[in-house]
Amino acid sequence: MDTLIRHETLSQAWPVSAILELFDLPFMDLLLRAQTVHRRHHPANAVQRSSLLSIKTGACPEDCAYCPQSSRYATDLEQTPLMPLPQVLAAARRARDAGAQRFCMGAAWRSPTEKQLDDVIEHVQAVKALGMETCVTLGMLKPGQAERLKAAGLDYYNHNLDTSPEYYGEIIHTRTYDDRLQTLQRVRDAGLKVCCGGIVGLGESREIRAGLIAALASLAPYPESVPINQLVKVPGTPLADAPDLDPLEFVRTIAVTRIVMPETVVRLSAGRESMHDSTQALCFMAGANSIFYGEQLLTTPNPQTAADASLFQRLGLTPMPASTEASPN
């Protein structure tokens, strides 16, 4: 335990072995420790709410095994071109009026062209004018593109690692781990905040989950926002029949992420639609303090806003003011 405390206190790099020690703690001990760390760095019972919109859907050339937007898989997904600005603004206003504090826009590209980036920049500037924080996920960025997004007023760029370096080749073949790290470095160098997490339930082992957390924690600094996604199994994708992840293992993953990256905002992300309220409550106890708010996550369902409002009320959770979000050391 002393080794684990030393890592947490000094913000040293976390080896996979130390992270596995956390995973192996008795469940109640792990949650107590995670909640203690959480309250040391974040306001208690406060959850940041973001809304996510797919502004360009499908026809992606990548082969991510979990993704229905890949052009390589036969799914029921309807492909759509880049959404017109008035439609995006209408969705952003609805999200703001429903209580979302950040508006995230995703486009299914391998990497945006300069013309595509021009259009996204127009979207970012218009959403910023509504008084919302902005985030986009557009795939890999070329030199200079992150700087253009920063100049437009973008707050966050999302680019997930998805899984550990060792398991990555089992899930994706069209983009390397180093490609992802290079984009993240460009985002950081441009002065943008980083949103970067991964997916669990891909058929990976606990050691692989620990490797993902270690990879995220090794980023210098670690991301300001870490979304933890539970796989949403979509017919037609290679992972449609992946084994279900034990809900308590998912909660453990949230708790370990909180302890290893104490100042990050941990987002309970995809997969909430299939989670029991009690599982979500345990995730908040474990240190999750952000959710995607709204009925749709890119192409997969999300809990209704009324259901989330009811859950927040039952748990005594309140919206997190944007100004209270901590930045990693």
Side-chain angles (χ1 to χ4, degrees):
M1 182 65 71
D2 290 344
T3 300
L4 300 180
I5 292 174
R6 184 171 68 252
H7 282 297
E8 177 190 318
T9 303
L10 300 181
S11 298
Q12 296 176 346
W14 283 79
V16 171
S17 59
I19 295 174
L20 283 170
E21 287 181 48
L22 286 175
F23 267 105
D24 289 339
L25 288 173
F27 186 75
M28 300 306 176
D29 292 351
L30 177 60
L31 259 61
L32 175 60
R33 179 160 174 199
Q35 181 63 199
T36 301
V37 170
H38 178 76
R39 289 178 180 239
R40 191 181 304 150
H41 296 277
H42 302 273
N45 302 311
V47 177
Q48 188 269 340
R49 295 182 291 186
S50 297
S51 183
L52 177 61
L53 177 69
S54 179
I55 60 173
K56 183 271 176 184
T57 303
C60 181
E62 306 282 16
D63 70 349
C64 308
Y66 52 81
C67 186
Q69 300 204 66
S70 173
S71 61
R72 299 163 185 258
Y73 310 134
T75 67
D76 294 332
L77 183 69
E78 180 183 357
Q79 300 176 9
T80 62
L82 187 66
M83 191 177 291
L85 179 58
Q87 193 173 344
V88 172
L89 274 179
R93 288 192 186 96
R94 287 194 300 271
R96 181 195 62 187
D97 295 345
Q101 299 146 295
R102 184 179 305 157
F103 193 69
C104 307
M105 295 169 277
W109 292 317
R110 174 177 169 83
S111 179
T113 66
E114 294 304 317
K115 174 59 173 66
Q116 289 166 340
L117 197 67
D118 289 341
D119 293 333
V120 171
I121 284 173
E122 186 179 7
H123 289 40
V124 168
Q125 292 171 331
V127 172
K128 284 286 287 185
L130 297 178
M132 303 183 76
E133 289 186 335
T134 53
C135 177
V136 297
T137 178
L138 312 172
M140 296 183 291
L141 294 180
K142 305 178 185 71
Q145 290 186 325
E147 286 78 7
R148 292 189 62 201
L149 289 166
K150 173 67 174 179
L154 185 70
D155 297 297
Y156 286 80
Y157 193 86
N158 168 259
H159 199 63
N160 290 335
L161 292 180
D162 286 348
T163 188
S164 74
E166 295 76 17
Y167 198 63
Y168 184 83
E170 300 295 320
I171 307 299
I172 302 161
H173 308 94
T174 52
R175 181 189 310 189
T176 69
Y177 216 74
D178 283 345
D179 287 335
R180 292 181 182 267
L181 293 174
Q182 184 180 66
T183 287
L184 289 168
Q185 190 60 55
R186 286 172 177 162
V187 168
R188 187 61 81 188
D189 288 346
L192 290 165
K193 293 179 182 178
V194 172
C195 177
C196 181
I199 307 171
V200 298
L202 302 172
E204 79 284 353
S205 65
R206 176 179 282 185
E207 185 172 3
I208 294 300
R209 286 189 286 280
L212 166 64
I213 295 171
L216 291 166
S218 71
L219 299 174
Y222 57 73
E224 284 86 357
S225 177
V226 174
I228 301 296
N229 299 273
Q230 180 171 269
L231 174 68
V232 178
K233 293 180 276 190
V234 179
T237 63
L239 289 173
D241 297 318
D244 291 337
L245 184 69
D246 180 357
L248 295 184
E249 183 70 10
F250 184 85
V251 177
R252 283 184 179 273
T253 305
I254 295 288
V256 172
T257 301
R258 165 53 65 224
I259 294 167
V260 171
M261 292 173 278
E263 294 183 355
T264 196
V265 173
V266 178
R267 176 174 296 133
L268 183 57
S269 197
R272 286 201 305 122
E273 172 71 7
S274 63
M275 285 184 197
H276 194 276
D277 284 353
S278 59
T279 301
Q280 294 190 63
L282 286 172
C283 287
F284 293 127
M285 180 68 184
N289 59 340
S290 177
I291 61 168
F292 274 127
Y293 192 62
E295 292 78 12
Q296 189 82 5
L297 290 184
L298 293 181
T299 62
T300 57
N302 200 48
Q304 299 288 311
T305 54
D308 280 336
S310 173
L311 180 61
F312 271 42
Q313 183 177 30
R314 290 155 58 205
L315 296 178
L317 299 177
T318 58
M320 180 196 296
S323 60
T324 67
E325 292 187 44
S327 296
N329 291 326

